[in-house]
Amino acid sequence: MIFTSSYLLSLTTFIYLGAAVLYLIAWVFRVEKVGLLGTFATGIGFLAQTAGILLRWVESYQMGYGHAPLSNLYESLVFFSWMTILVYLFLEFRLKNRVIGVFSTPFASLAMAYASFSPNVHDEIQPLIPALKSNWLIAHVVTCFLGYSSFAIACGMGLMYLMKSKDYTTGLLSRLPSQKNLDELMHQTIFFGFLWLSVGIITGAVWANEAWGTYWSWDPKETWSLITWFVYAIALHARFVRGWMGKKIAYLSIIGFISVIFTYFGVNFLLSGLHSYGAPR
Amino acid sequence: MTIPTSSHPVSGNSKKPFWHILTSVRLAISLFILLAITSIIGTLIPQGESLHLYLEKYGPSMFQVIKVARLHDMYNSWWFIALLLLFAVNLVACTINRFPIISQLYKKDTSLQAVERLLKMPHSFVLSLPSAASFSKEDVNKILPAPVLSYDVENGRLFFKESGKWSYWGVYILHTSILIILAGALIGAIWGFKGQIMLAEGEKVSEAVERFTGKDFPLGFELYCEKFFVDFYDTGAPKEFRSDLVIFESGKEVLRKSIRVNEPLSYHGLTFYQSSYDAMPLITFTITSADGKKKVLSLPVSEKISWQEAGLSVGVMQFLPNIHGGQAAHVWIGDDGFPPEAIWFLKGAEKEFRRGNNIYKASITDVEQRYMTGLQVKKDPGVWVVWLGCAGMLLGFGVVFWVAHRRIWLWVGERNGRPTLILAGRTNKNNMQFERFFDEMEQKIRTMTGVKI
């Protein structure tokens, strides 16, 4: 029972939720050991999820379909969650600060909860339709989601920054990274996400050119990814050239992530186009 | 890092308001916002449908707005293209305008600094040494590997090292690459071609239909579809679409390839993509004349075939796949000098008809599916330019993101009558990473000199 991908993956939802709660407790009650437990839980969740994804890959071969688990809404949500945790763990390791976990693990847990429990999202393994049969599938999805996940975390940092700007010197908020550090981190995470979003758009263009003969066709998904690209381009230019810092960038980070969410879900649910295989059925 | 903006009167540009606007980042950001907002409109209003559908869906007044602003084909409308062009012009103008600034930044020698200035650097620390000789030239080389600039400064020696100064040009690589991508798109729009071909199995074409104008476009060779396959999974979802294509040049076979959705065929600058398919019935019609002559004719709907011996033509006007539980065709008969007539045939049921003095017996003996493959045809000489731009963009990102201009100053000398060492540094980006780098250097110096905090 334990060794089926869907069991492992739905288990992950709760592990990440638990990790989020642990990070929150560590933050609110200042118990370092609980924070360590949070990291431990996140690590375990990440391992379980990795195993789940790999197992799903194997299961698709057993069913005779044989493709990477990156082909529909369910699989993309799982991957988004996985990628977010990966980026977060990297940041935690680099910064030695667990407070960002309070604002990152919930995104991963929410994505998993939505994937596992929404009646709109079907978790059965489906065969690949001809349009998706390409080596570009993995490159395109991985790069796009590296971008999305970075933006999710940058959005979390934006929220932290805005909370911090209340300027309490004591209490909860003093345990957040300093505003100066948060500002720089947010900027770097946005730039990192921007880089990967660009790579994602480029790999998508190369793929589209191979499958349909046009590298750009103003399909809603493409257009919305470009809109998202513009929002983050504004944030980067405003900072590089006009010297915008802090609050304004934090707001842009949040607006940018709303645009990411719309690119990801809104387009699938509300608009139709070439990316309709990502849509709920 | 903040790059000085164009408001700096570098070359007296502030006197030209038009140029000033063109080179402003304010314009760039406004264009980002405008392009983003207008792009949203294009995703909300379906694109490229026929005009009367918009009238039905949006009503007459909204329809006028759509028609005038070309919102039904927004991304090709003059004003959206104009926005993109303005974006390109803004990018070129910014590039030209900032060239002297970046060039200055690149050329500027900042190696020589007064001791007081070192102490005001974003990163600096001061260490009292046991004696002036306790930090030798070799020690300096351990901290700052050669080549190092050095000067005599205020009772001491100043050493300087920098890296990544060229990264100021990274943003140029990025911006130029965007211009290259736009240029590639323009080349494709001017010299490219997009068209469609519907090709039945066993047939040849030498022309494609241009997508927007509907005009014929000569391929310069013949394309033959030998076979089309469609395969489904057990779930009913399509598994594979495949066309076996052969290219003939002046009657000779020159190339043979099976194409699938992600595997197109390229020949002489044209690329053929599997894009759709259609299945149509091929109706086999058997006619027997009164003197016992028999003819089997196979033809699709709305085509006509002659039986020359009898001087008679037969055409299928309409086909019904399921009527009264069977297949039926409305068959046209004529071309023999008598008034043409149309008769309904049910598959398998023989019928008699009379043309002058001749009596014929006829029936539909077979109906099979005949596939037509839908091919997308493309010629885009700009696509490699676009890829070049994309590669440049990635390179530019790499430089802008990872390469920082780092500067380190190390001063060893006498200050306030005591032997002192000062380490100072600054970077134009990735400050936190630099901080760690700087702290490591500080630790190294402390270990080397044996001075604990």
Side-chain angles (χ1 to χ4, degrees):
Chain A
M1 175 62 183
I2 247 185
F3 293 110
T4 67
S5 65
S6 53
Y7 181 80
L8 276 174
L9 290 174
S10 32
L11 192 67
T12 315
T13 316
F14 299 104
I15 302 180
Y16 287 157
L17 186 65
V21 171
L22 289 170
Y23 280 128
L24 188 68
I25 292 172
W27 179 42
V28 174
F29 300 103
R30 304 185 177 205
V31 200
E32 200 55 36
K33 275 183 187 157
V34 179
L36 196 66
L37 267 178
T39 303
F40 185 69
T42 310
I44 294 286
F46 185 71
L47 288 180
Q49 198 178 20
T50 310
I53 291 171
L54 291 176
L55 209 58
R56 191 175 167 93
W57 203 335
V58 172
E59 283 166 13
S60 95
Y61 271 93
Q62 285 165 351
M63 290 172 75
Y65 300 146
H67 61 80
L70 301 169
S71 71
N72 59 19
L73 185 60
Y74 174 82
E75 289 170 349
S76 81
L77 281 163
V78 171
F79 189 70
F80 169 70
S81 155
W82 184 83
M83 204 54 130
T84 304
I85 293 296
L86 183 68
V87 174
Y88 165 69
L89 281 176
F90 173 76
L91 279 174
E92 190 192 301
F93 177 75
R94 278 286 293 272
L95 304 171
K96 316 276 181 239
N97 187 316
R98 296 204 172 87
V99 184
I100 301 170
V102 181
F103 298 85
S104 306
T105 43
F107 284 119
S109 181
L110 270 176
M112 283 309 297
Y114 179 53
S116 306
F117 306 118
S118 165
N120 288 329
V121 185
H122 297 261
D123 71 343
E124 67 267 29
I125 297 175
Q126 294 144 350
L128 273 191
I129 61 165
L132 293 182
K133 281 184 185 167
S134 167
N135 292 331
W136 289 102
L137 173 67
I138 294 179
H140 178 56
V141 175
V142 168
T143 50
C144 285
F145 277 86
L146 204 48
Y148 287 6
S149 297
S150 308
F151 291 141
I153 288 175
C155 171
M157 288 170 175
L159 292 171
M160 284 161 78
Y161 189 94
L162 293 178
M163 288 172 73
K164 184 89 177 176
S165 68
K166 291 253 159 64
D167 222 3
Y168 295 117
T169 39
T170 52
L172 285 184
L173 299 166
S174 66
R175 290 171 63 81
L176 293 175
S178 76
Q179 275 202 322
K180 186 168 154 280
N181 279 353
L182 260 181
D183 179 59
E184 170 142 352
L185 258 181
M186 184 163 62
H187 170 68
Q188 286 195 358
T189 314
I190 287 176
F191 200 132
F192 186 74
F194 189 69
L195 166 78
W196 286 110
L197 177 66
S198 307
V199 179
I201 293 175
I202 291 172
T203 51
V206 175
W207 186 7
N209 188 58
E210 208 157 280
W212 300 307
T214 44
Y215 51 82
W216 193 264
S217 47
W218 295 105
D219 153 74
K221 194 78 149 190
E222 288 172 356
T223 309
W224 270 98
S225 71
L226 188 68
I227 292 164
T228 305
W229 194 84
F230 279 136
V231 174
Y232 286 107
I234 291 170
L236 292 173
H237 284 84
R239 187 190 166 101
F240 272 141
V241 192
R242 299 206 74 87
W244 282 25
M245 301 278 260
K247 242 181 172 172
K248 288 175 176 173
I249 302 289
Y251 280 121
L252 277 174
S253 174
I254 294 166
I255 293 171
F257 190 59
I258 293 170
S259 178
V260 168
I261 301 243
F262 196 82
T263 309
Y264 188 1
F265 302 109
V267 172
N268 293 354
F269 283 79
L270 305 172
L271 309 168
S272 64
L274 297 170
H275 278 81
S276 53
Y277 27 76
R281 286 166 301 136
Chain B
M1 176 198 63
T2 305
I3 298 168
T5 63
S6 56
S7 55
H8 285 244
V10 175
S11 48
N13 285 333
S14 50
K15 282 176 192 157
K16 303 171 194 162
F18 181 66
W19 178 251
H20 185 74
I21 291 170
L22 265 191
T23 56
S24 66
V25 175
R26 213 174 275 262
L27 177 66
I29 292 181
S30 309
L31 282 172
F32 284 152
I33 295 172
L34 264 176
L35 282 168
I37 291 173
T38 49
S39 297
I40 293 175
I41 299 173
T43 64
L44 297 178
I45 297 174
Q47 297 289 297
E49 308 277 352
S50 66
L51 276 173
H52 66 91
L53 286 175
Y54 295 95
L55 183 60
E56 272 170 36
K57 194 169 171 188
Y58 296 100
S61 51
M62 192 56 199
F63 174 71
Q64 276 308 318
V65 176
I66 289 176
K67 209 175 130 193
V68 170
R70 301 198 59 80
L71 297 180
H72 59 284
D73 189 18
M74 201 202 88
Y75 303 109
N76 296 311
S77 67
W78 63 269
W79 59 266
F80 192 76
I81 305 268
L83 270 183
L84 284 175
L85 276 178
L86 190 58
F87 175 61
V89 170
N90 176 230
L91 201 51
V92 173
C94 284
T95 305
I96 295 171
N97 196 49
R98 276 174 188 66
F99 192 85
I101 304 168
I102 302 279
S103 179
Q104 250 178 22
L105 215 53
Y106 179 71
K107 283 184 195 149
K108 199 171 162 193
D109 185 1
T110 51
S111 56
L112 184 57
Q113 300 282 349
V115 173
E116 279 312 306
R117 290 289 299 275
L118 295 185
L119 295 171
K120 283 179 190 150
M121 292 283 173
H123 303 270
S124 69
F125 90 105
V126 183
L127 191 70
S128 293
L129 296 172
S131 72
S134 63
F135 205 80
S136 65
K137 185 85 206 319
E138 280 131 51
D139 290 333
V140 171
N141 278 342
K142 274 181 206 158
I143 299 299
L144 302 176
V148 176
L149 291 174
S150 65
Y151 306 94
D152 280 322
V153 175
E154 301 167 35
N155 302 330
R157 192 89 182 140
L158 176 72
F159 302 92
F160 173 76
K161 190 170 174 73
E162 66 184 338
S163 68
K165 203 178 186 183
W166 59 276
S167 66
Y168 288 116
W169 299 109
V171 70
Y172 273 79
I173 305 176
L174 243 175
H175 286 167
T176 311
S177 67
I178 290 175
L179 289 173
I180 293 174
I181 291 174
L182 290 174
L186 195 67
I187 292 171
I190 296 173
W191 290 289
F193 163 79
K194 269 188 191 124
Q196 274 149 339
I197 292 176
M198 280 308 277
L199 184 58
E201 286 178 321
E203 282 187 9
K204 263 184 199 173
V205 278
S206 55
E207 274 155 355
V209 180
E210 175 134 36
R211 196 194 281 169
F212 296 110
T213 59
K215 282 183 193 150
D216 281 350
F217 175 88
L219 300 176
F221 49 83
E222 281 182 309
L223 184 72
Y224 173 68
C225 175
E226 195 169 76
K227 191 92 188 128
F228 175 83
F229 289 98
V230 54
D231 196 4
F232 296 93
Y233 292 106
D234 301 336
T235 60
K239 185 176 183 180
E240 183 180 84
F241 306 115
R242 193 186 96 204
S243 303
D244 295 347
L245 300 179
V246 187
I247 287 175
F248 287 94
E249 222 165 345
S250 37
K252 263 194 224 149
E253 180 182 326
V254 286
L255 186 68
R256 175 179 284 270
K257 192 182 176 188
S258 299
I259 68 164
R260 294 175 183 80
V261 176
N262 274 296
E263 293 170 37
L265 158 70
S266 284
Y267 189 71
H268 281 198
L270 287 172
T271 312
F272 298 88
Y273 300 85
Q274 181 71 62
S275 78
S276 62
Y277 76 100
D278 206 353
M280 56 172 190
L282 188 70
I283 295 134
T284 305
F285 202 63
T286 307
I287 314 178
T288 321
S289 61
D291 51 3
K293 277 188 202 136
K294 198 171 166 186
K295 183 71 180 173
V296 180
L297 301 165
S298 279
L299 69 166
V301 176
S302 69
E303 262 183 49
K304 194 168 91 169
I305 288 188
S306 316
W307 179 11
Q308 274 170 355
E309 250 178 277
L312 185 77
S313 285
V314 173
V316 176
M317 294 159 65
Q318 199 186 348
F319 175 76
L320 296 174
N322 191 358
I323 182 128
H324 306 307
Q327 295 164 312
H330 204 188
V331 177
W332 176 94
I333 294 155
D335 282 351
D336 52 355
F338 302 104
E341 58 182 317
I343 307 167
W344 277 101
F345 284 89
L346 262 171
K347 187 189 162 191
E350 199 174 60
K351 261 192 183 173
E352 254 183 28
F353 61 89
R354 180 186 285 268
R355 307 291 293 167
N357 292 326
N358 299 324
I359 297 169
Y360 298 94
K361 280 180 184 164
S363 67
I364 297 172
T365 44
D366 194 21
V367 177
E368 55 178 314
Q369 287 289 316
R370 189 194 193 193
Y371 284 112
M372 286 178 100
T373 179
L375 303 174
Q376 195 90 256
V377 193
K378 185 203 73 172
K379 186 177 92 176
D380 189 350
V383 75
W384 289 105
V385 180
V386 172
W387 297 155
L388 179 77
C390 290
M393 196 168 168
L394 296 185
L395 182 74
F397 272 126
V399 174
V400 173
F401 193 56
W402 281 295
V403 186
H405 181 204
R406 288 176 166 187
R407 283 172 281 180
I408 303 272
W409 291 267
L410 177 67
W411 182 81
V412 187
E414 235 179 61
R415 190 174 137 82
N416 304 332
R418 298 176 67 183
T420 308
L421 178 153
I422 298 172
L423 185 74
R426 72 186 313 155
T427 179
N428 66 340
K429 62 184 92 140
N430 301 352
N431 200 41
M432 280 155 71
Q433 220 175 320
F434 184 72
E435 205 171 292
R436 254 193 304 275
F437 173 70
F438 192 82
D439 287 347
E440 273 166 30
M441 236 182 319
E442 183 179 338
Q443 279 311 314
K444 216 162 146 188
I445 291 174
R446 284 187 192 279
T447 334
M448 281 162 66
T449 53
V451 182
K452 293 276 172 294
I453 310 159

